[in-house]
Amino acid sequence: MKYLVLLVVLVVGYAWWRNQRMSGTPPSPARPGQPPAPQDMVACAHCGVHLPRTEALTSGQRSYCCAEHQRQDAH
C-alpha cells in the first residue's frame, strides 16, 4: 500500500513539475545566422560550368572546374 501512495505522489509531482515547466515563458525562436556572403562565379574554360572562384583551378587567366579539364585544355 505504501508503494502505491509513493507512486501516486511521484506521478502527481512529475505532472506538477511538467506543467510548471510548460507554462513558463515560451522559448524564443532561434535566430537564423547571417547568410554567407555572395561569391564571385567563374566559368570553366573547357566545359563552361559555373563554379565559385574559390573552388576553381586557375591557370593564368583561365579557370577550370577540375584537374582533368585543366589537363585536357593544356594540350
Side-chain angles (χ1 to χ4, degrees):
M1 182 69 176
K2 69 179 179 179
Y3 292 115
L4 183 59
V5 172
L6 179 62
L7 180 64
V8 169
V9 168
L10 288 175
V11 169
V12 169
Y14 176 74
W16 177 79
W17 172 76
R18 186 171 167 97
N19 188 25
Q20 291 298 319
R21 199 179 79 176
M22 294 295 187
S23 67
T25 58
S28 62
R31 294 183 187 176
Q34 292 289 344
Q39 298 183 16
D40 291 334
M41 301 293 282
V42 295
C44 176
H46 184 77
C47 67
V49 72
H50 287 82
L51 66 155
R53 184 178 305 274
T54 57
E55 295 179 19
L57 301 172
T58 57
S59 179
Q61 296 291 349
R62 300 177 71 118
S63 299
Y64 300 95
C65 62
C66 63
E68 181 66 22
H69 285 178
Q70 187 178 23
R71 186 183 60 75
Q72 287 176 359
D73 205 38
H75 292 126

